[in-house]
Amino acid sequence: MDAISAIRRRCIDFNVKLAKEIQQRLPTNYTVLELMSRLAPETILRQGKDNSISELAKELGYNASDIDKILNQWHNICFVQWKNTNDVIKFWNEVDEYRSAAGINDFGELVDLAISSLTLPHSNAGIEKIFSVMNIVKTKLWNRMAGPLLNAIIFIRNRLKVTDVKCYNYELPSDVIAAIGKNTKYSYKNQVQPATSSASVSASSTVESVNYDDEVIEDITFDLDF
Protein backbone atom coordinates (compact mmCIF):
# COMPACT_ATOMS: atom_id res chain seq x y z
CA MET A 1 0.00 0.00 0.00
CA ASP A 2 2.88 2.35 0.69
CA ALA A 3 4.27 1.74 -2.79
CA ILE A 4 0.86 2.36 -4.39
CA SER A 5 0.44 5.62 -2.44
CA ALA A 6 3.93 6.74 -3.46
CA ILE A 7 3.18 6.08 -7.14
CA ARG A 8 -0.10 7.99 -6.94
CA ARG A 9 1.60 10.91 -5.22
CA ARG A 10 4.32 11.04 -7.86
CA CYS A 11 1.70 10.96 -10.64
CA ILE A 12 -0.17 13.85 -9.04
CA ASP A 13 3.04 15.85 -8.60
CA PHE A 14 3.96 15.19 -12.22
CA ASN A 15 0.62 16.45 -13.53
CA VAL A 16 0.75 19.55 -11.33
CA LYS A 17 4.27 20.32 -12.56
CA LEU A 18 3.19 19.72 -16.16
CA ALA A 19 0.26 22.15 -15.82
CA LYS A 20 2.55 24.84 -14.37
CA GLU A 21 5.09 24.42 -17.18
CA ILE A 22 2.36 24.70 -19.83
CA GLN A 23 1.02 27.88 -18.22
CA GLN A 24 4.51 29.41 -18.23
CA ARG A 25 4.84 28.76 -21.97
CA LEU A 26 1.49 30.31 -22.89
CA PRO A 27 1.43 34.05 -23.70
CA THR A 28 -0.24 36.21 -21.10
CA ASN A 29 -2.52 37.78 -23.72
CA TYR A 30 -3.86 34.59 -25.30
CA THR A 31 -7.37 35.27 -23.99
CA VAL A 32 -7.42 38.59 -25.85
CA LEU A 33 -6.05 37.03 -29.03
CA GLU A 34 -8.96 34.61 -28.98
CA LEU A 35 -11.08 37.61 -29.97
CA MET A 36 -9.65 37.31 -33.49
CA SER A 37 -12.40 34.77 -34.15
CA ARG A 38 -14.76 37.78 -34.12
CA LEU A 39 -13.20 38.86 -37.41
CA ALA A 40 -14.80 35.94 -39.26
CA PRO A 41 -17.46 37.11 -41.77
CA GLU A 42 -20.27 35.08 -40.20
CA THR A 43 -19.57 36.78 -36.87
CA ILE A 44 -18.80 40.33 -37.91
CA LEU A 45 -21.91 40.60 -40.11
CA ARG A 46 -24.27 39.90 -37.24
CA GLN A 47 -26.31 42.74 -35.81
CA GLY A 48 -26.31 43.59 -32.13
CA LYS A 49 -22.64 42.80 -31.51
CA ASP A 50 -20.90 43.82 -28.29
CA ASN A 51 -17.82 46.07 -28.04
CA SER A 52 -15.34 43.32 -27.19
CA ILE A 53 -13.39 44.04 -30.38
CA SER A 54 -12.00 47.10 -28.59
CA GLU A 55 -9.96 44.80 -26.32
CA LEU A 56 -8.18 43.40 -29.37
CA ALA A 57 -7.51 46.92 -30.64
CA LYS A 58 -6.04 47.93 -27.27
CA GLU A 59 -3.80 44.84 -27.26
CA LEU A 60 -2.41 45.84 -30.67
CA GLY A 61 -1.67 49.40 -29.51
CA TYR A 62 -4.45 51.45 -31.10
CA ASN A 63 -5.21 54.80 -29.48
CA ALA A 64 -8.60 55.89 -28.16
CA SER A 65 -9.51 57.87 -31.28
CA ASP A 66 -8.87 54.92 -33.59
CA ILE A 67 -10.72 52.55 -31.25
CA ASP A 68 -13.81 54.77 -31.44
CA LYS A 69 -13.65 54.65 -35.25
CA ILE A 70 -13.17 50.87 -35.17
CA LEU A 71 -16.22 50.41 -32.93
CA ASN A 72 -18.33 52.60 -35.18
CA GLN A 73 -17.24 50.67 -38.27
CA TRP A 74 -17.66 47.39 -36.38
CA HIS A 75 -21.37 48.08 -35.88
CA ASN A 76 -21.98 49.55 -39.36
CA ILE A 77 -20.28 46.92 -41.51
CA CYS A 78 -23.31 44.63 -41.39
CA PHE A 79 -25.42 47.22 -43.28
CA VAL A 80 -23.41 46.77 -46.50
CA GLN A 81 -24.16 43.94 -48.93
CA TRP A 82 -20.94 41.92 -49.27
CA LYS A 83 -20.28 39.19 -51.83
CA ASN A 84 -17.40 37.14 -50.39
CA THR A 85 -18.81 36.08 -47.04
CA ASN A 86 -17.57 32.48 -47.07
CA ASP A 87 -13.82 33.17 -47.07
CA VAL A 88 -12.00 35.35 -44.53
CA ILE A 89 -9.22 36.53 -46.86
CA LYS A 90 -11.53 37.32 -49.79
CA PHE A 91 -13.96 39.06 -47.46
CA TRP A 92 -11.37 41.45 -46.02
CA ASN A 93 -9.91 42.05 -49.48
CA GLU A 94 -13.37 43.12 -50.57
CA VAL A 95 -13.75 45.37 -47.54
CA ASP A 96 -10.31 46.87 -48.22
CA GLU A 97 -11.30 47.70 -51.80
CA TYR A 98 -14.68 49.13 -50.79
CA ARG A 99 -15.26 52.79 -51.61
CA SER A 100 -18.26 54.95 -50.85
CA ALA A 101 -19.85 57.44 -53.24
CA ALA A 102 -17.28 59.99 -52.07
CA GLY A 103 -14.42 57.62 -52.93
CA ILE A 104 -13.58 56.95 -49.27
CA ASN A 105 -13.22 53.62 -47.53
CA ASP A 106 -15.59 53.86 -44.59
CA PHE A 107 -13.99 50.82 -42.93
CA GLY A 108 -10.31 51.74 -43.19
CA GLU A 109 -9.44 51.43 -39.50
CA LEU A 110 -11.35 48.19 -39.12
CA VAL A 111 -9.59 46.70 -42.15
CA ASP A 112 -6.23 47.75 -40.71
CA LEU A 113 -7.10 46.01 -37.43
CA ALA A 114 -8.19 42.86 -39.24
CA ILE A 115 -5.04 42.68 -41.37
CA SER A 116 -2.80 43.36 -38.36
CA SER A 117 -4.53 40.62 -36.38
CA LEU A 118 -4.80 37.94 -39.07
CA THR A 119 -1.15 38.28 -40.11
CA LEU A 120 0.28 37.74 -36.63
CA PRO A 121 2.73 34.78 -36.51
CA HIS A 122 1.19 32.26 -34.14
CA SER A 123 4.12 29.84 -34.15
CA ASN A 124 7.81 29.70 -35.02
CA ALA A 125 7.33 26.81 -37.48
CA GLY A 126 8.11 29.06 -40.45
CA ILE A 127 11.34 30.28 -38.86
CA GLU A 128 12.39 26.71 -38.06
CA LYS A 129 11.85 25.75 -41.71
CA ILE A 130 14.09 28.62 -42.81
CA PHE A 131 16.85 27.43 -40.46
CA SER A 132 16.51 23.91 -41.86
CA VAL A 133 16.89 25.20 -45.41
CA MET A 134 19.87 27.31 -44.33
CA ASN A 135 21.61 24.24 -42.89
CA ILE A 136 21.06 22.42 -46.18
CA VAL A 137 22.42 25.28 -48.29
CA LYS A 138 25.34 26.42 -46.13
CA THR A 139 27.28 23.21 -45.55
CA LYS A 140 30.85 22.71 -44.31
CA LEU A 141 32.10 22.95 -47.89
CA TRP A 142 30.24 26.26 -48.33
CA ASN A 143 31.05 27.68 -44.90
CA ARG A 144 32.44 30.93 -46.36
CA MET A 145 29.19 31.79 -48.10
CA ALA A 146 28.26 35.40 -47.36
CA GLY A 147 24.89 36.54 -46.09
CA PRO A 148 23.58 38.14 -49.35
CA LEU A 149 24.24 34.98 -51.39
CA LEU A 150 22.73 32.73 -48.70
CA ASN A 151 19.65 34.95 -48.50
CA ALA A 152 19.27 34.94 -52.29
CA ILE A 153 19.51 31.14 -52.55
CA ILE A 154 16.97 30.60 -49.76
CA PHE A 155 14.61 33.14 -51.31
CA ILE A 156 14.86 31.47 -54.72
CA ARG A 157 14.26 28.00 -53.27
CA ASN A 158 11.17 29.13 -51.38
CA ARG A 159 9.84 31.10 -54.33
CA LEU A 160 10.18 28.14 -56.69
CA LYS A 161 8.41 25.94 -54.17
CA VAL A 162 5.53 28.39 -53.68
CA THR A 163 5.01 28.92 -57.41
CA ASP A 164 5.50 25.20 -58.16
CA VAL A 165 8.20 25.94 -60.75
CA LYS A 166 11.31 23.84 -61.33
CA CYS A 167 14.75 25.37 -61.61
CA TYR A 168 15.47 23.56 -64.89
CA ASN A 169 12.46 24.99 -66.74
CA TYR A 170 12.28 28.45 -65.17
CA GLU A 171 12.40 31.23 -67.75
CA LEU A 172 14.37 34.32 -66.78
CA PRO A 173 12.72 37.68 -67.51
CA SER A 174 14.14 39.54 -70.48
CA ASP A 175 15.35 42.46 -68.35
CA VAL A 176 17.33 40.10 -66.12
CA ILE A 177 18.95 38.43 -69.13
CA ALA A 178 19.84 41.83 -70.56
CA ALA A 179 21.51 42.89 -67.30
CA ILE A 180 23.76 39.82 -67.03
CA GLY A 181 27.43 40.77 -67.41
CA LYS A 182 26.90 44.47 -66.91
CA ASN A 183 28.76 46.63 -64.46
CA THR A 184 25.67 47.37 -62.35
CA LYS A 185 25.32 43.71 -61.41
CA TYR A 186 28.78 43.51 -59.84
CA SER A 187 28.24 45.49 -56.64
CA TYR A 188 30.57 43.50 -54.38
CA LYS A 189 33.87 44.51 -55.92
CA ASN A 190 34.55 47.15 -53.24
CA GLN A 191 33.50 45.00 -50.28
CA VAL A 192 36.10 43.60 -47.90
CA GLN A 193 36.88 39.98 -48.63
CA PRO A 194 36.34 37.54 -45.71
CA ALA A 195 39.47 36.65 -43.81
CA THR A 196 41.11 33.28 -44.55
CA SER A 197 42.72 30.90 -42.08
CA SER A 198 46.46 30.85 -41.51
CA ALA A 199 46.70 27.50 -43.28
CA SER A 200 45.38 28.91 -46.54
CA VAL A 201 47.49 30.68 -49.09
CA SER A 202 45.70 33.44 -50.97
CA ALA A 203 46.70 34.50 -54.42
CA SER A 204 44.97 37.59 -55.73
CA SER A 205 44.64 38.47 -59.33
CA THR A 206 43.26 41.71 -60.68
CA VAL A 207 41.82 42.26 -64.12
CA GLU A 208 42.01 45.90 -65.12
CA SER A 209 39.13 45.93 -67.60
CA VAL A 210 36.84 43.38 -69.20
CA ASN A 211 34.31 44.30 -71.86
CA TYR A 212 30.84 42.80 -71.52
CA ASP A 213 28.07 44.05 -73.77
CA ASP A 214 29.79 47.41 -74.24
CA GLU A 215 29.93 47.79 -70.44
CA VAL A 216 33.28 47.89 -68.65
CA ILE A 217 33.85 45.98 -65.42
CA GLU A 218 36.90 47.29 -63.61
CA ASP A 219 38.92 46.03 -60.69
CA ILE A 220 37.49 42.53 -60.44
CA THR A 221 39.33 40.86 -57.55
CA PHE A 222 39.09 37.21 -56.64
CA ASP A 223 40.86 34.91 -54.21
CA LEU A 224 42.24 31.46 -54.89
CA ASP A 225 42.48 29.33 -51.73
CA PHE A 226 44.59 26.18 -51.59
Side-chain angles (χ1 to χ4, degrees):
M1 295 301 298
D2 293 340
I4 294 175
S5 299
I7 292 174
R8 288 178 176 174
R9 184 172 60 255
R10 291 181 62 184
C11 290
I12 293 174
D13 293 340
F14 174 80
N15 286 309
V16 171
K17 182 66 174 177
L18 177 62
K20 291 181 179 180
E21 293 292 337
I22 292 176
Q23 288 179 348
Q24 290 178 0
R25 284 163 174 78
L26 288 175
T28 57
N29 59 349
Y30 73 94
T31 55
V32 177
L33 295 179
E34 289 177 351
L35 294 173
M36 287 191 299
S37 61
R38 304 287 181 94
L39 299 174
E42 60 271 13
T43 302
I44 198 173
L45 296 180
R46 296 175 184 172
Q47 297 185 11
K49 302 183 293 291
D50 56 19
N51 295 333
S52 58
I53 195 67
S54 61
E55 299 180 17
L56 180 60
K58 292 178 182 179
E59 185 66 25
L60 296 180
Y62 286 83
N63 55 42
S65 177
D66 289 336
I67 291 177
D68 291 337
K69 295 179 181 179
I70 290 172
L71 287 176
N72 185 44
Q73 298 167 11
W74 166 259
H75 290 290
N76 292 334
I77 193 172
C78 58
F79 298 114
V80 178
Q81 189 68 30
W82 305 102
K83 298 178 180 179
N84 301 306
T85 58
N86 297 324
D87 186 273
V88 177
I89 297 177
K90 292 181 179 179
F91 172 76
W92 286 109
N93 282 335
E94 183 181 357
V95 178
D96 186 34
E97 296 174 357
Y98 173 81
R99 294 296 182 274
S100 63
I104 301 174
N105 190 340
D106 296 331
F107 307 100
E109 287 75 15
L110 184 59
V111 170
D112 183 72
L113 173 65
I115 294 176
S116 300
S117 303
L118 298 175
T119 55
L120 287 174
H122 299 289
S123 70
N124 60 348
I127 304 299
E128 294 295 338
K129 290 180 181 179
I130 295 297
F131 277 112
S132 299
V133 174
M134 184 187 69
N135 292 331
I136 294 174
V137 175
K138 191 172 183 179
T139 61
K140 291 183 179 179
L141 296 178
W142 288 52
N143 61 351
R144 293 185 61 194
M145 183 185 300
L149 177 59
L150 177 61
N151 181 69
I153 293 176
I154 294 177
F155 180 84
I156 292 172
R157 287 171 63 100
N158 290 339
R159 184 61 181 173
L160 292 177
K161 184 177 180 180
V162 170
T163 56
D164 195 21
V165 178
K166 307 301 180 184
C167 59
Y168 52 80
N169 60 4
Y170 177 77
E171 296 183 2
L172 288 172
S174 58
D175 57 336
V176 175
I177 297 177
I180 294 178
K182 293 187 177 180
N183 194 31
T184 55
K185 289 300 177 184
Y186 295 85
S187 59
Y188 299 103
K189 61 181 181 179
N190 295 325
Q191 293 185 3
V192 179
Q193 298 294 328
T196 59
S197 61
S198 58
S200 63
V201 179
S202 177
S204 298
S205 176
T206 303
V207 181
E208 293 299 333
S209 64
V210 180
N211 293 323
Y212 287 102
D213 227 356
D214 297 332
E215 298 262 349
V216 179
I217 304 175
E218 299 178 350
D219 300 331
I220 302 178
T221 303
F222 57 91
D223 292 334
L224 301 177
D225 296 333
F226 301 93

Short mmCIF file of all heavy atoms in Angstrom, two decimals, residues 165-206:
data_model
loop_
_atom_site.label_atom_id
_atom_site.label_comp_id
_atom_site.label_asym_id
_atom_site.label_seq_id
_atom_site.Cartn_x
_atom_site.Cartn_y
_atom_site.Cartn_z
N VAL A 165 7.38 25.86 -59.54
CA VAL A 165 8.20 25.94 -60.75
C VAL A 165 9.52 25.24 -60.47
O VAL A 165 10.07 25.34 -59.37
CB VAL A 165 8.43 27.41 -61.16
CG1 VAL A 165 9.32 27.49 -62.39
CG2 VAL A 165 7.10 28.10 -61.43
N LYS A 166 10.04 24.53 -61.46
CA LYS A 166 11.31 23.84 -61.33
C LYS A 166 12.44 24.73 -61.83
O LYS A 166 12.25 25.54 -62.74
CB LYS A 166 11.29 22.52 -62.10
CG LYS A 166 10.11 21.63 -61.77
CD LYS A 166 10.07 21.26 -60.29
CE LYS A 166 8.87 20.37 -59.99
NZ LYS A 166 8.76 20.07 -58.54
N CYS A 167 13.61 24.53 -61.24
CA CYS A 167 14.75 25.37 -61.61
C CYS A 167 15.21 25.11 -63.04
O CYS A 167 15.76 26.00 -63.69
CB CYS A 167 15.90 25.14 -60.64
SG CYS A 167 16.50 23.44 -60.58
N TYR A 168 14.97 23.89 -63.56
CA TYR A 168 15.47 23.56 -64.89
C TYR A 168 14.55 24.06 -66.01
O TYR A 168 14.96 24.08 -67.17
CB TYR A 168 15.68 22.04 -65.04
CG TYR A 168 14.48 21.21 -64.65
CD1 TYR A 168 13.41 21.02 -65.51
CD2 TYR A 168 14.44 20.59 -63.41
CE1 TYR A 168 12.32 20.26 -65.14
CE2 TYR A 168 13.35 19.82 -63.03
CZ TYR A 168 12.30 19.66 -63.91
OH TYR A 168 11.22 18.89 -63.54
N ASN A 169 13.34 24.46 -65.70
CA ASN A 169 12.46 24.99 -66.74
C ASN A 169 11.99 26.41 -66.45
O ASN A 169 11.05 26.89 -67.07
CB ASN A 169 11.24 24.07 -66.94
CG ASN A 169 10.40 23.94 -65.67
OD1 ASN A 169 10.67 24.58 -64.66
ND2 ASN A 169 9.39 23.10 -65.74
N TYR A 170 12.64 27.06 -65.49
CA TYR A 170 12.28 28.45 -65.17
C TYR A 170 12.82 29.38 -66.24
O TYR A 170 13.99 29.28 -66.64
CB TYR A 170 12.83 28.84 -63.80
CG TYR A 170 12.55 30.27 -63.42
CD1 TYR A 170 11.30 30.67 -62.98
CD2 TYR A 170 13.55 31.24 -63.52
CE1 TYR A 170 11.04 31.98 -62.63
CE2 TYR A 170 13.30 32.55 -63.18
CZ TYR A 170 12.04 32.91 -62.74
OH TYR A 170 11.79 34.22 -62.40
N GLU A 171 12.01 30.28 -66.72
CA GLU A 171 12.40 31.23 -67.75
C GLU A 171 12.73 32.58 -67.12
O GLU A 171 11.88 33.19 -66.46
CB GLU A 171 11.28 31.39 -68.79
CG GLU A 171 10.98 30.11 -69.56
CD GLU A 171 9.92 30.33 -70.61
OE1 GLU A 171 9.47 31.50 -70.76
OE2 GLU A 171 9.55 29.36 -71.30
N LEU A 172 13.95 33.03 -67.32
CA LEU A 172 14.37 34.32 -66.78
C LEU A 172 13.68 35.46 -67.54
O LEU A 172 13.52 35.38 -68.76
CB LEU A 172 15.88 34.48 -66.90
CG LEU A 172 16.75 33.63 -65.97
CD1 LEU A 172 18.21 33.78 -66.35
CD2 LEU A 172 16.55 34.05 -64.52
N PRO A 173 13.28 36.50 -66.82
CA PRO A 173 12.72 37.68 -67.51
C PRO A 173 13.74 38.31 -68.44
O PRO A 173 14.95 38.22 -68.23
CB PRO A 173 12.35 38.61 -66.35
CG PRO A 173 12.23 37.73 -65.15
CD PRO A 173 13.21 36.63 -65.36
N SER A 174 13.25 38.95 -69.47
CA SER A 174 14.14 39.54 -70.48
C SER A 174 15.04 40.62 -69.90
O SER A 174 16.20 40.74 -70.29
CB SER A 174 13.30 40.10 -71.63
OG SER A 174 12.39 41.08 -71.14
N ASP A 175 14.52 41.41 -68.92
CA ASP A 175 15.35 42.46 -68.35
C ASP A 175 16.49 41.90 -67.51
O ASP A 175 17.57 42.49 -67.43
CB ASP A 175 14.50 43.42 -67.52
CG ASP A 175 13.74 42.70 -66.41
OD1 ASP A 175 13.50 41.48 -66.56
OD2 ASP A 175 13.41 43.33 -65.40
N VAL A 176 16.26 40.74 -66.89
CA VAL A 176 17.33 40.10 -66.12
C VAL A 176 18.40 39.56 -67.05
O VAL A 176 19.60 39.69 -66.79
CB VAL A 176 16.74 38.96 -65.25
CG1 VAL A 176 17.86 38.20 -64.53
CG2 VAL A 176 15.76 39.52 -64.24
N ILE A 177 17.98 38.94 -68.15
CA ILE A 177 18.95 38.43 -69.13
C ILE A 177 19.77 39.57 -69.72
O ILE A 177 20.99 39.46 -69.90
CB ILE A 177 18.22 37.65 -70.24
CG1 ILE A 177 17.52 36.42 -69.64
CG2 ILE A 177 19.19 37.23 -71.33
CD1 ILE A 177 16.71 35.64 -70.66
N ALA A 178 19.13 40.70 -69.98
CA ALA A 178 19.84 41.83 -70.56
C ALA A 178 20.84 42.44 -69.60
O ALA A 178 21.84 43.03 -70.02
CB ALA A 178 18.83 42.90 -71.01
N ALA A 179 20.62 42.29 -68.29
CA ALA A 179 21.51 42.89 -67.30
C ALA A 179 22.68 42.01 -66.94
O ALA A 179 23.60 42.45 -66.25
CB ALA A 179 20.72 43.22 -66.03
N ILE A 180 22.68 40.74 -67.37
CA ILE A 180 23.76 39.82 -67.03
C ILE A 180 25.06 40.29 -67.68
O ILE A 180 25.10 40.58 -68.88
CB ILE A 180 23.42 38.39 -67.49
CG1 ILE A 180 22.23 37.86 -66.69
CG2 ILE A 180 24.63 37.46 -67.33
CD1 ILE A 180 21.78 36.47 -67.10
N GLY A 181 26.13 40.37 -66.90
CA GLY A 181 27.43 40.77 -67.41
C GLY A 181 27.67 42.26 -67.42
O GLY A 181 28.73 42.69 -67.86
N LYS A 182 26.71 43.02 -66.92
CA LYS A 182 26.90 44.47 -66.91
C LYS A 182 27.47 44.93 -65.58
O LYS A 182 27.36 44.25 -64.57
CB LYS A 182 25.57 45.17 -67.20
CG LYS A 182 25.07 44.92 -68.62
CD LYS A 182 23.84 45.75 -68.94
CE LYS A 182 23.40 45.55 -70.38
NZ LYS A 182 22.20 46.34 -70.73
N ASN A 183 28.04 46.10 -65.62
CA ASN A 183 28.76 46.63 -64.46
C ASN A 183 27.86 46.81 -63.25
O ASN A 183 28.29 46.68 -62.11
CB ASN A 183 29.39 47.97 -64.84
CG ASN A 183 30.42 48.41 -63.82
OD1 ASN A 183 31.07 47.58 -63.20
ND2 ASN A 183 30.57 49.71 -63.66
N THR A 184 26.58 47.11 -63.47
CA THR A 184 25.67 47.37 -62.35
C THR A 184 25.37 46.12 -61.55
O THR A 184 24.92 46.21 -60.41
CB THR A 184 24.34 47.93 -62.89
OG1 THR A 184 23.80 47.03 -63.86
CG2 THR A 184 24.56 49.30 -63.52
N LYS A 185 25.62 44.95 -62.11
CA LYS A 185 25.32 43.71 -61.41
C LYS A 185 26.47 43.25 -60.53
O LYS A 185 26.33 42.29 -59.79
CB LYS A 185 24.98 42.59 -62.42
CG LYS A 185 23.64 42.80 -63.09
CD LYS A 185 22.53 42.84 -62.08
CE LYS A 185 21.18 43.11 -62.72
NZ LYS A 185 20.11 43.23 -61.72
N TYR A 186 27.63 43.89 -60.65
CA TYR A 186 28.78 43.51 -59.84
C TYR A 186 28.99 44.57 -58.76
O TYR A 186 29.82 45.47 -58.89
CB TYR A 186 30.03 43.36 -60.71
CG TYR A 186 29.91 42.22 -61.69
CD1 TYR A 186 29.30 42.41 -62.91
CD2 TYR A 186 30.39 40.95 -61.37
CE1 TYR A 186 29.16 41.36 -63.81
CE2 TYR A 186 30.26 39.90 -62.26
CZ TYR A 186 29.65 40.11 -63.48
OH TYR A 186 29.51 39.07 -64.35
N SER A 187 28.22 44.47 -57.69
CA SER A 187 28.24 45.49 -56.64
C SER A 187 29.09 45.10 -55.45
O SER A 187 29.13 45.80 -54.46
CB SER A 187 26.81 45.77 -56.17
OG SER A 187 26.21 44.58 -55.67
N TYR A 188 29.78 43.97 -55.53
CA TYR A 188 30.57 43.50 -54.38
C TYR A 188 32.07 43.69 -54.58
O TYR A 188 32.87 43.22 -53.80
CB TYR A 188 30.29 42.02 -54.13
CG TYR A 188 28.86 41.72 -53.81
CD1 TYR A 188 28.03 41.16 -54.77
CD2 TYR A 188 28.33 42.01 -52.57
CE1 TYR A 188 26.70 40.90 -54.48
CE2 TYR A 188 27.01 41.76 -52.27
CZ TYR A 188 26.20 41.20 -53.23
OH TYR A 188 24.89 40.95 -52.96
N LYS A 189 32.44 44.41 -55.63
CA LYS A 189 33.87 44.51 -55.92
C LYS A 189 34.62 45.36 -54.89
O LYS A 189 35.81 45.19 -54.70
CB LYS A 189 34.08 45.09 -57.32
CG LYS A 189 33.52 46.50 -57.49
CD LYS A 189 33.75 46.99 -58.91
CE LYS A 189 33.23 48.41 -59.08
NZ LYS A 189 33.47 48.90 -60.45
N ASN A 190 33.90 46.29 -54.22
CA ASN A 190 34.55 47.15 -53.24
C ASN A 190 34.37 46.66 -51.82
O ASN A 190 34.81 47.30 -50.88
CB ASN A 190 33.98 48.57 -53.35
CG ASN A 190 34.32 49.21 -54.69
OD1 ASN A 190 35.40 48.97 -55.22
ND2 ASN A 190 33.40 50.00 -55.22
N GLN A 191 33.69 45.52 -51.63
CA GLN A 191 33.50 45.00 -50.28
C GLN A 191 34.75 44.27 -49.81
O GLN A 191 35.53 43.74 -50.60
CB GLN A 191 32.30 44.04 -50.25
CG GLN A 191 30.98 44.73 -50.50
CD GLN A 191 29.81 43.78 -50.33
OE1 GLN A 191 30.00 42.62 -49.97
NE2 GLN A 191 28.62 44.28 -50.57
N VAL A 192 34.94 44.26 -48.49
CA VAL A 192 36.10 43.60 -47.90
C VAL A 192 35.92 42.10 -48.01
O VAL A 192 34.87 41.55 -47.66
CB VAL A 192 36.26 44.01 -46.43
CG1 VAL A 192 37.46 43.30 -45.81
CG2 VAL A 192 36.42 45.52 -46.32
N GLN A 193 36.94 41.42 -48.50
CA GLN A 193 36.88 39.98 -48.63
C GLN A 193 36.97 39.33 -47.26
O GLN A 193 37.67 39.82 -46.37
CB GLN A 193 38.04 39.47 -49.50
CG GLN A 193 38.01 40.00 -50.93
CD GLN A 193 36.81 39.47 -51.69
OE1 GLN A 193 36.37 38.35 -51.43
NE2 GLN A 193 36.27 40.26 -52.59
N PRO A 194 36.24 38.21 -47.01
CA PRO A 194 36.34 37.54 -45.71
C PRO A 194 37.74 37.01 -45.45
O PRO A 194 38.44 36.58 -46.37
CB PRO A 194 35.32 36.39 -45.85
CG PRO A 194 35.16 36.20 -47.32
CD PRO A 194 35.31 37.55 -47.93
N ALA A 195 38.13 37.08 -44.18
CA ALA A 195 39.47 36.65 -43.81
C ALA A 195 39.62 35.16 -43.97
O ALA A 195 38.70 34.38 -43.71
CB ALA A 195 39.76 37.05 -42.37
N THR A 196 40.82 34.71 -44.39
CA THR A 196 41.11 33.28 -44.55
C THR A 196 41.92 32.80 -43.37
O THR A 196 42.51 33.57 -42.63
CB THR A 196 41.87 33.03 -45.86
OG1 THR A 196 43.08 33.79 -45.82
CG2 THR A 196 41.03 33.49 -47.06
N SER A 197 41.95 31.49 -43.18
CA SER A 197 42.72 30.90 -42.08
C SER A 197 44.20 30.98 -42.38
O SER A 197 44.62 31.19 -43.51
CB SER A 197 42.29 29.45 -41.87
OG SER A 197 42.54 28.70 -43.03
N SER A 198 45.01 30.77 -41.35
CA SER A 198 46.46 30.85 -41.51
C SER A 198 47.00 29.74 -42.37
O SER A 198 48.08 29.84 -42.92
CB SER A 198 47.11 30.80 -40.12
OG SER A 198 46.73 29.60 -39.45
N ALA A 199 46.24 28.64 -42.50
CA ALA A 199 46.70 27.50 -43.28
C ALA A 199 46.47 27.69 -44.76
O ALA A 199 46.95 26.91 -45.58
CB ALA A 199 46.00 26.22 -42.82
N SER A 200 45.69 28.70 -45.13
CA SER A 200 45.38 28.91 -46.54
C SER A 200 46.31 29.95 -47.12
O SER A 200 46.72 30.88 -46.46
CB SER A 200 43.92 29.35 -46.70
OG SER A 200 43.73 30.58 -46.06
N VAL A 201 46.64 29.76 -48.36
CA VAL A 201 47.49 30.68 -49.09
C VAL A 201 46.63 31.36 -50.13
O VAL A 201 45.99 30.70 -50.94
CB VAL A 201 48.66 29.94 -49.77
CG1 VAL A 201 49.53 30.92 -50.56
CG2 VAL A 201 49.47 29.20 -48.72
N SER A 202 46.58 32.68 -50.09
CA SER A 202 45.70 33.44 -50.97
C SER A 202 46.52 34.09 -52.06
O SER A 202 47.53 34.73 -51.79
CB SER A 202 44.92 34.49 -50.19
OG SER A 202 44.13 35.26 -51.06
N ALA A 203 46.06 33.86 -53.29
CA ALA A 203 46.70 34.50 -54.42
C ALA A 203 45.68 35.38 -55.10
O ALA A 203 44.65 34.89 -55.54
CB ALA A 203 47.23 33.46 -55.40
N SER A 204 45.93 36.66 -55.15
CA SER A 204 44.97 37.59 -55.73
C SER A 204 45.39 37.96 -57.13
O SER A 204 46.58 38.12 -57.41
CB SER A 204 44.86 38.87 -54.88
OG SER A 204 44.41 38.54 -53.59
N SER A 205 44.40 38.06 -57.95
CA SER A 205 44.64 38.47 -59.33
C SER A 205 43.64 39.55 -59.68
O SER A 205 42.47 39.42 -59.38
CB SER A 205 44.48 37.26 -60.27
OG SER A 205 44.63 37.66 -61.61
N THR A 206 44.10 40.58 -60.34
CA THR A 206 43.26 41.71 -60.68
C THR A 206 43.21 41.88 -62.19
O THR A 206 44.25 41.90 -62.84
CB THR A 206 43.76 43.00 -60.02
OG1 THR A 206 43.82 42.80 -58.61
CG2 THR A 206 42.84 44.18 -60.35
#
